[in-house]
């Protein structure tokens, strides 16, 4: 059984081949960037629609990926394969007491009504809080695996599911468990901004961190005023994306914050 449905592999330019051969998939291929977003219009929009800010970001991120298909890719045996599905993985804390981290998967958010995304996201969060998350089986399996072997188990499962593209029912994990891109709301922890690492075994091209919203001075129509600003942190795989691809990604993503009603289309 296939683990992920891929489109045909992408045609690689000479530079892309050099890029793939230049860096390992761990650490040294990551590029980091901060971008400040004025979220005044989005906050007002979310209030009018009775949705959470996170739900808006999830759909905006999914819609941005849909318009920038290259980002939604996986490296397999020195080639890039574009995924068929567009899925956002959102990090979640089951509670603030235990040393634990989980996540929810929102599939094809760009095809759904924003209110539908909001309801789905909140329901999935509720399931995690109640211990009914999709990653329950894999977490239980790792409870019995000695920590010294965890790296080897993760790397083996990653090779099986992503490189060989094989999914077996005995694997204690949902299909494509980490989605296309990861989103982590560090603002919920009262953190202003941070770069988040790409875990090598996830095979994702990007992690996005959402910082806390702060009232800051801004220049608007040549006048100094104040506005609600959120800093987004982006960590992306340089083997898949260059500055020109990230620039187009940011331009598309920012358009939803400039005109939140675009999310309704």
């Amino acid at each position: 059984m296939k683990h992920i449905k891929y489109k045909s592999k992408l045609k690689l330019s000479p530079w892309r081949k050099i890029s793939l051969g230049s860096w390992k998939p761990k650490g040294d291929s990551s590029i980091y960037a901060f971008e400040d977003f004025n979220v005044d219009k989005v906050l007002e929009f979310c209030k009018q629609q009775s949705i959470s800010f996170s739900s808006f970001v999830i759909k905006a991120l999914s819609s941005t990926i849909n318009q920038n298909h290259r980002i939604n890719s996986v490296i397999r045996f020195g080639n890039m394969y574009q995924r068929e599905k567009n899925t956002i993985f959102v990090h979640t804390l089951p509670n603030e007491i235990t040393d634990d981290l989980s996540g929810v998967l929102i599939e094809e958010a760009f095809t759904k009504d924003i209110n539908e995304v909001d309801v789905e996201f909140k329901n999935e969060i509720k399931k995690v809080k109640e211990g009914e998350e999709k990653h329950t089986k894999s977490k239980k399996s790792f409870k019995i695996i000695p920590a010294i072997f965890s790296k080897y188990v993760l790397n083996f499962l990653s090779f099986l599911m992503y490189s060989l593209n094989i999914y077996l029912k005995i694997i204690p994990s949902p299909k494509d468990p980490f989605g296309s891109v990861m989103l982590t709301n560090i603002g919920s922890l009262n953190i202003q901004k941070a770069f988040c690492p790409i875990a090598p075994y996830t095979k994702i091209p990007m992690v996005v961190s959402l910082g806390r919203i702060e009232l800051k001075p801004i220049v608007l129509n040549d006048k100094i005023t104040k506005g609600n600003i959120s800093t987004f942190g982006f960590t992306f795989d340089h083997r898949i994306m260059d500055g020109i691809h990230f620039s187009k990604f940011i331009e598309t993503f920012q358009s939803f914050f400039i005109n939140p009603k675009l999310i309704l289309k």
Side-chain angles (χ1 to χ4, degrees):
M1 184 187 299
K2 288 187 177 181
H3 177 229
I4 298 176
K5 290 184 178 179
Y6 292 112
K7 298 179 181 179
S8 59
K9 65 182 179 182
L10 301 178
K11 185 177 180 180
L12 303 179
S13 66
W15 165 246
R16 190 56 44 201
K17 290 181 180 179
I18 293 172
S19 180
L20 288 171
S22 296
W23 294 287
K24 299 176 183 178
K26 301 179 182 179
D28 62 356
S29 65
S30 293
I31 299 294
Y32 306 90
F34 280 132
E35 287 287 337
D36 289 338
F37 288 73
N38 185 328
V39 298
D40 284 327
K41 292 180 180 179
V42 173
L43 293 176
E44 181 61 30
F45 176 83
C46 290
K47 184 178 180 181
Q48 293 172 356
Q49 297 291 322
S50 299
I51 62 171
S52 72
F53 180 65
S54 293
S55 297
F56 180 92
V57 174
I58 289 168
K59 181 165 182 183
L61 190 54
S62 177
S63 299
T64 300
I65 293 170
N66 183 55
Q67 295 179 47
N68 296 267
H69 301 289
R70 182 190 187 88
I71 295 169
N72 195 15
S73 298
V74 174
I75 303 295
R76 300 175 61 220
F77 298 115
N79 286 296
M80 287 173 55
Y81 289 82
Q82 185 182 317
R83 298 166 179 266
E84 285 192 1
K85 275 192 175 182
N86 174 324
T87 306
I88 307 299
F89 177 99
V90 188
H91 281 111
T92 308
L93 274 175
N95 58 69
E96 296 181 1
I97 300 174
T98 59
D99 177 21
D100 197 11
L101 188 63
S102 188
V104 301
L105 294 163
I106 308 297
E107 295 184 355
E108 308 290 312
F110 71 95
T111 67
K112 301 171 183 175
D113 178 82
I114 185 61
N115 296 101
E116 185 182 351
V117 172
D118 186 63
V119 170
E120 180 181 353
F121 175 60
K122 289 175 179 176
N123 285 339
E124 290 299 318
I125 292 292
K126 184 180 179 182
K127 289 179 183 177
V128 172
K129 301 288 186 184
E130 294 174 349
E132 299 176 5
E133 58 179 301
K134 294 179 180 178
H135 297 81
T136 299
K137 289 184 179 179
S138 57
K139 289 175 125 181
K140 285 182 178 179
S141 297
F142 269 87
K143 277 187 178 181
I144 62 175
I145 296 174
I148 194 172
F149 297 126
S150 61
K151 172 185 175 181
Y152 304 104
V153 172
L154 286 169
N155 288 341
F156 172 73
L157 290 175
S158 178
F159 177 74
L160 185 70
M161 294 192 294
Y162 293 102
S163 296
L164 298 182
N165 198 27
I166 296 174
Y167 182 80
L168 303 174
K169 290 184 178 180
I170 61 171
I171 295 176
S173 170
K175 272 192 175 184
D176 200 10
F178 307 108
S180 308
V181 167
M182 282 187 178
L183 173 66
T184 180
N185 186 355
I186 59 172
S188 64
L189 303 174
N190 201 32
I191 299 173
Q192 180 187 2
K193 57 184 178 180
F195 291 129
C196 297
I198 297 176
Y201 57 85
T202 63
K203 301 298 183 182
I204 58 170
M206 178 186 289
V207 178
V208 181
S209 63
L210 169 58
R212 73 169 181 258
I213 298 172
E214 294 187 325
L215 197 61
K216 293 183 177 181
I218 59 173
V219 177
L220 191 62
N221 298 324
D222 295 327
K223 294 182 179 179
I224 298 177
T225 182
K226 58 185 178 180
N228 286 291
I229 304 296
S230 179
T231 300
F232 284 77
F234 301 90
T235 304
F236 63 90
D237 191 337
H238 195 15
R239 298 173 305 156
I240 294 175
M241 301 168 60
D242 287 330
I244 187 171
H245 306 113
F246 183 68
S247 174
K248 291 178 180 178
F249 171 89
I250 286 295
E251 183 180 352
T252 306
F253 190 50
Q254 199 162 41
S255 67
F256 293 102
F257 291 81
I258 295 171
N259 181 10
K261 290 184 179 180
L262 290 175
I263 210 77
L264 299 174
K265 296 181 179 180

